[in-house]
Amino acid sequence: MKVGAVIITMGNRPEELRALLDSVAKQDGDRVQVVVVGNGSPVPDVPEGVRTIELPENLGIPGGRNVGIEAFGPSGRDVDVLLFLDDDGLLARHDTADLCREAFEADPKLGIISFRIADPETGITQRRHVPRLRASDPMRSSRVTTFLGGANAVRTQVLAEVGGLPDAFFYAHEETDLAWRALDAGWMIDYRSDMVLYHPTTAPSRHAVYHRMVARNRVWLARRNLPAPLVPVYLGVWMLLTLLRRPSGAALKAWFGGFREGWTTSCGPRRPMKWRTVWRLTRLGRPPVI
């Protein structure tokens, strides 16, 4: 299977980007083709053979990654699998690309693989980086219902069938939107603890737009993908969870502003998942109400 990699960068981590590219170049098997997208910024110097695209403006995470996908032909069809990697990450092993090839070849219905993210110094995997509710054991691989945006592999046939990431989301929940569409089309998603991306431990709230976009995109996600009776249940549960976490007054104000924005702005095309997909998500351990 032909493997490509899409990396988006703001151009502000040149050393980390070079280390990531070196780790991709060291992968066993056939060479992984790489495209680096400068998301509204110039691309730092990269090794020979790495393609670059410099966008005149920041299109956000999903928009930048979609540009990278199309660099491999419509829906990435020039390759069979695309890796999506954060520019400050590092592939921990030399056999990750081969493990992806083996997994996709062994399971024709496997559409997406979510890697394990580990801190390079401590080896610890944050609970939020295990894409399931029962996240206490990050070393347990399993079927899951979503995936990690900066550490994953996607079969390009999935992108051709269900489309790419939702550009308008800009940041937050775009992976779950794609995951739900893929699951609704009959694909499966695996979390693999043996496919590791080293990444420094960070808090998602470091982004200034975090609280607003998390809330707005949560509403968009529900409006786009859930059967109508589940929309208020899903959003009600998340509102309660947000309040129980006792965010600061400023964070809560931004969250409710985003929540309101999610209802008053276009979420894009609505394609509610089938009820059998709801049941499938439930059997996988994460019903689409949480």
Side-chain angles (χ1 to χ4, degrees), residues 162-240:
V162 306
L165 297 158
D167 286 347
F169 278 43
F170 197 86
Y171 166 80
H173 303 319
E174 67 272 6
E175 303 92 354
T176 301
D177 187 89
L178 176 57
W180 282 0
R181 285 182 281 126
L183 289 162
D184 198 47
W187 296 99
M188 300 302 294
I189 304 171
D190 278 356
Y191 166 73
R192 288 283 297 265
S193 64
D194 57 336
M195 300 183 189
V196 181
L197 184 84
Y198 285 145
H199 188 282
T201 298
T202 56
S205 55
R206 70 190 185 280
H207 299 289
V209 296
Y210 173 77
H211 295 287
R212 179 176 69 86
M213 289 196 173
V214 160
R216 182 198 68 181
N217 293 358
R218 183 81 70 183
V219 178
W220 281 356
L221 180 69
R223 290 175 59 198
R224 284 163 60 91
N225 295 287
L226 290 180
L230 294 185
V231 172
V233 179
Y234 176 80
L235 295 177
V237 168
W238 277 105
M239 181 180 290
L240 178 61

Side-chain angles (χ1 to χ4, degrees), residues 109-209:
K109 296 308 295 179
L110 178 61
I112 302 172
I113 299 172
S114 189
F115 300 168
R116 179 167 64 88
I117 292 179
D119 185 273
E121 295 184 2
T122 66
I124 293 174
T125 296
Q126 292 179 275
R127 189 181 182 92
R128 70 184 181 89
H129 284 152
V130 183
R132 58 176 180 246
L133 292 179
R134 296 176 181 175
S136 59
D137 182 7
M139 301 306 296
R140 179 172 67 87
S141 299
S142 68
R143 294 282 200 202
V144 289
T145 61
T146 188
F147 63 98
L148 305 175
N152 67 80
V154 179
R155 192 191 294 265
T156 54
Q157 188 179 344
V158 173
L159 302 172
E161 186 172 341
V162 306
L165 297 158
D167 286 347
F169 278 43
F170 197 86
Y171 166 80
H173 303 319
E174 67 272 6
E175 303 92 354
T176 301
D177 187 89
L178 176 57
W180 282 0
R181 285 182 281 126
L183 289 162
D184 198 47
W187 296 99
M188 300 302 294
I189 304 171
D190 278 356
Y191 166 73
R192 288 283 297 265
S193 64
D194 57 336
M195 300 183 189
V196 181
L197 184 84
Y198 285 145
H199 188 282
T201 298
T202 56
S205 55
R206 70 190 185 280
H207 299 289
V209 296

